[in-house]
mmCIF file of all heavy atoms in Angstrom:
data_model
loop_
_atom_site.group_PDB
_atom_site.id
_atom_site.type_symbol
_atom_site.label_atom_id
_atom_site.label_comp_id
_atom_site.label_asym_id
_atom_site.label_seq_id
_atom_site.Cartn_x
_atom_site.Cartn_y
_atom_site.Cartn_z
ATOM 1 N N THR A 158 96.736 109.510 108.514
ATOM 2 C CA THR A 158 97.096 110.896 108.202
ATOM 3 C C THR A 158 97.588 111.617 109.442
ATOM 4 O O THR A 158 98.789 111.811 109.620
ATOM 5 C CB THR A 158 95.926 111.676 107.586
ATOM 6 O OG1 THR A 158 94.808 111.588 108.460
ATOM 7 C CG2 THR A 158 95.530 111.096 106.236
ATOM 8 N N THR A 159 96.693 112.010 110.358
ATOM 9 C CA THR A 159 97.016 112.778 111.530
ATOM 10 C C THR A 159 96.337 112.190 112.765
ATOM 11 O O THR A 159 95.228 111.670 112.679
ATOM 12 C CB THR A 159 96.494 114.217 111.377
ATOM 13 O OG1 THR A 159 97.066 114.777 110.132
ATOM 14 C CG2 THR A 159 96.898 115.101 112.507
ATOM 15 N N LEU A 160 97.060 112.219 113.881
ATOM 16 C CA LEU A 160 96.464 111.815 115.162
ATOM 17 C C LEU A 160 96.406 113.067 116.051
ATOM 18 O O LEU A 160 97.372 113.767 116.215
ATOM 19 C CB LEU A 160 97.323 110.750 115.834
ATOM 20 C CG LEU A 160 97.303 109.323 115.291
ATOM 21 C CD1 LEU A 160 98.249 108.451 116.081
ATOM 22 C CD2 LEU A 160 95.888 108.792 115.320
ATOM 23 N N GLU A 161 95.259 113.235 116.669
ATOM 24 C CA GLU A 161 95.061 114.328 117.623
ATOM 25 C C GLU A 161 95.768 113.938 118.911
ATOM 26 O O GLU A 161 96.023 112.807 119.173
ATOM 27 C CB GLU A 161 93.579 114.594 117.880
ATOM 28 C CG GLU A 161 92.797 115.001 116.603
ATOM 29 C CD GLU A 161 93.335 116.276 115.990
ATOM 30 O OE1 GLU A 161 93.793 117.192 116.714
ATOM 31 O OE2 GLU A 161 93.390 116.332 114.740
ATOM 32 N N ALA A 162 96.052 114.909 119.760
ATOM 33 C CA ALA A 162 96.689 114.649 121.055
ATOM 34 C C ALA A 162 95.844 113.614 121.829
ATOM 35 O O ALA A 162 94.664 113.744 121.968
ATOM 36 C CB ALA A 162 96.784 115.937 121.879
ATOM 37 N N GLY A 163 96.508 112.547 122.301
ATOM 38 C CA GLY A 163 95.857 111.473 123.068
ATOM 39 C C GLY A 163 95.058 110.499 122.240
ATOM 40 O O GLY A 163 94.610 109.519 122.774
ATOM 41 N N GLN A 164 94.950 110.684 120.972
ATOM 42 C CA GLN A 164 94.179 109.774 120.087
ATOM 43 C C GLN A 164 94.914 108.441 119.907
ATOM 44 O O GLN A 164 96.165 108.415 119.790
ATOM 45 C CB GLN A 164 93.899 110.388 118.736
ATOM 46 C CG GLN A 164 92.995 109.546 117.875
ATOM 47 C CD GLN A 164 92.652 110.238 116.533
ATOM 48 O OE1 GLN A 164 93.198 111.325 116.202
ATOM 49 N NE2 GLN A 164 91.797 109.617 115.785
ATOM 50 N N LYS A 165 94.173 107.325 119.897
ATOM 51 C CA LYS A 165 94.734 106.002 119.770
ATOM 52 C C LYS A 165 93.952 105.245 118.744
ATOM 53 O O LYS A 165 92.706 105.228 118.793
ATOM 54 C CB LYS A 165 94.630 105.313 121.163
ATOM 55 C CG LYS A 165 95.308 104.005 121.246
ATOM 56 C CD LYS A 165 95.199 103.496 122.730
ATOM 57 C CE LYS A 165 95.913 102.238 122.965
ATOM 58 N NZ LYS A 165 95.869 101.850 124.369
ATOM 59 N N LEU A 166 94.614 104.620 117.734
ATOM 60 C CA LEU A 166 93.943 103.889 116.673
ATOM 61 C C LEU A 166 94.445 102.460 116.637
ATOM 62 O O LEU A 166 95.649 102.206 116.743
ATOM 63 C CB LEU A 166 94.209 104.553 115.334
ATOM 64 C CG LEU A 166 93.674 105.959 115.141
ATOM 65 C CD1 LEU A 166 94.204 106.559 113.855
ATOM 66 C CD2 LEU A 166 92.143 105.937 115.178
ATOM 67 N N PRO A 167 93.544 101.524 116.427
ATOM 68 C CA PRO A 167 93.996 100.111 116.208
ATOM 69 C C PRO A 167 94.693 99.940 114.903
ATOM 70 O O PRO A 167 94.324 100.559 113.868
ATOM 71 C CB PRO A 167 92.714 99.302 116.216
ATOM 72 C CG PRO A 167 91.633 100.265 115.818
ATOM 73 C CD PRO A 167 92.086 101.624 116.306
ATOM 74 N N VAL A 168 95.802 99.135 114.895
ATOM 75 C CA VAL A 168 96.549 98.915 113.670
ATOM 76 C C VAL A 168 96.877 97.429 113.572
ATOM 77 O O VAL A 168 96.890 96.725 114.542
ATOM 78 C CB VAL A 168 97.833 99.756 113.610
ATOM 79 C CG1 VAL A 168 97.541 101.244 113.497
ATOM 80 C CG2 VAL A 168 98.759 99.458 114.777
ATOM 81 N N PHE A 169 97.201 96.979 112.325
ATOM 82 C CA PHE A 169 97.663 95.613 112.088
ATOM 83 C C PHE A 169 98.656 95.600 110.967
ATOM 84 O O PHE A 169 98.663 96.534 110.116
ATOM 85 C CB PHE A 169 96.506 94.655 111.822
ATOM 86 C CG PHE A 169 96.023 94.700 110.422
ATOM 87 C CD1 PHE A 169 96.450 93.757 109.496
ATOM 88 C CD2 PHE A 169 95.194 95.701 109.977
ATOM 89 C CE1 PHE A 169 96.022 93.785 108.186
ATOM 90 C CE2 PHE A 169 94.776 95.767 108.655
ATOM 91 C CZ PHE A 169 95.168 94.781 107.735
ATOM 92 N N MET A 170 99.487 94.588 110.922
ATOM 93 C CA MET A 170 100.445 94.357 109.821
ATOM 94 C C MET A 170 100.554 92.851 109.645
ATOM 95 O O MET A 170 100.581 92.138 110.632
ATOM 96 C CB MET A 170 101.832 94.891 110.202
ATOM 97 C CG MET A 170 101.868 96.409 110.471
ATOM 98 S SD MET A 170 103.319 96.926 111.416
ATOM 99 C CE MET A 170 102.819 96.580 113.075
ATOM 100 N N GLN A 171 100.580 92.391 108.397
ATOM 101 C CA GLN A 171 100.773 90.954 108.152
ATOM 102 C C GLN A 171 102.055 90.695 107.428
ATOM 103 O O GLN A 171 102.395 91.446 106.454
ATOM 104 C CB GLN A 171 99.595 90.369 107.370
ATOM 105 C CG GLN A 171 98.306 90.350 108.186
ATOM 106 C CD GLN A 171 97.156 89.704 107.463
ATOM 107 O OE1 GLN A 171 97.048 89.797 106.254
ATOM 108 N NE2 GLN A 171 96.333 88.973 108.221
ATOM 109 N N PHE A 172 102.800 89.693 107.854
ATOM 110 C CA PHE A 172 104.128 89.345 107.327
ATOM 111 C C PHE A 172 104.127 87.890 106.972
ATOM 112 O O PHE A 172 103.376 87.082 107.548
ATOM 113 C CB PHE A 172 105.211 89.593 108.404
ATOM 114 C CG PHE A 172 105.277 90.964 108.907
ATOM 115 C CD1 PHE A 172 104.547 91.348 110.016
ATOM 116 C CD2 PHE A 172 106.091 91.934 108.293
ATOM 117 C CE1 PHE A 172 104.621 92.665 110.537
ATOM 118 C CE2 PHE A 172 106.154 93.197 108.788
ATOM 119 C CZ PHE A 172 105.434 93.565 109.891
ATOM 120 N N PRO A 173 105.035 87.464 106.065
ATOM 121 C CA PRO A 173 105.279 86.001 105.871
ATOM 122 C C PRO A 173 105.786 85.489 107.226
ATOM 123 O O PRO A 173 106.476 86.128 107.930
ATOM 124 C CB PRO A 173 106.346 85.961 104.828
ATOM 125 C CG PRO A 173 106.442 87.273 104.233
ATOM 126 C CD PRO A 173 105.913 88.271 105.228
ATOM 127 N N ALA A 174 105.380 84.216 107.539
ATOM 128 C CA ALA A 174 105.812 83.638 108.804
ATOM 129 C C ALA A 174 107.233 83.150 108.750
ATOM 130 O O ALA A 174 107.599 82.456 107.788
ATOM 131 C CB ALA A 174 104.886 82.518 109.188
ATOM 132 N N PRO A 175 108.020 83.430 109.735
ATOM 133 C CA PRO A 175 109.366 82.828 109.844
ATOM 134 C C PRO A 175 109.194 81.341 110.102
ATOM 135 O O PRO A 175 108.100 80.851 110.381
ATOM 136 C CB PRO A 175 109.953 83.536 111.094
ATOM 137 C CG PRO A 175 109.152 84.741 111.302
ATOM 138 C CD PRO A 175 107.761 84.412 110.801
ATOM 139 N N PRO A 176 110.279 80.541 110.054
ATOM 140 C CA PRO A 176 110.179 79.124 110.392
ATOM 141 C C PRO A 176 109.497 78.890 111.714
ATOM 142 O O PRO A 176 109.560 79.746 112.646
ATOM 143 C CB PRO A 176 111.631 78.647 110.424
ATOM 144 C CG PRO A 176 112.350 79.635 109.544
ATOM 145 C CD PRO A 176 111.639 80.965 109.748
ATOM 146 N N ALA A 177 108.876 77.761 111.876
ATOM 147 C CA ALA A 177 108.051 77.451 113.106
ATOM 148 C C ALA A 177 108.879 77.565 114.390
ATOM 149 O O ALA A 177 108.320 77.871 115.414
ATOM 150 C CB ALA A 177 107.423 76.071 112.966
ATOM 151 N N ASP A 178 110.150 77.220 114.315
ATOM 152 C CA ASP A 178 110.976 77.311 115.560
ATOM 153 C C ASP A 178 111.476 78.694 115.879
ATOM 154 O O ASP A 178 112.111 78.919 116.886
ATOM 155 C CB ASP A 178 112.123 76.285 115.467
ATOM 156 C CG ASP A 178 113.099 76.616 114.337
ATOM 157 O OD1 ASP A 178 112.748 77.387 113.432
ATOM 158 O OD2 ASP A 178 114.199 76.054 114.327
ATOM 159 N N THR A 179 111.139 79.664 115.045
ATOM 160 C CA THR A 179 111.532 81.062 115.273
ATOM 161 C C THR A 179 110.361 81.789 115.943
ATOM 162 O O THR A 179 109.310 81.927 115.403
ATOM 163 C CB THR A 179 111.858 81.768 113.966
ATOM 164 O OG1 THR A 179 112.945 81.086 113.342
ATOM 165 C CG2 THR A 179 112.232 83.231 114.198
ATOM 166 N N THR A 180 110.606 82.209 117.188
ATOM 167 C CA THR A 180 109.581 82.945 117.916
ATOM 168 C C THR A 180 110.038 84.326 118.311
ATOM 169 O O THR A 180 109.181 85.232 118.533
ATOM 170 C CB THR A 180 109.149 82.180 119.205
ATOM 171 O OG1 THR A 180 110.322 81.957 120.045
ATOM 172 C CG2 THR A 180 108.466 80.850 118.861
#
Side-chain angles (χ1 to χ4, degrees):
T158 56
T159 304
L160 285 178
E161 299 301 322
Q164 187 177 5
K165 186 175 185 178
L166 296 172
V168 294
F169 82 98
M170 300 163 275
Q171 290 185 327
F172 302 91
D178 62 345
T179 300
T180 57

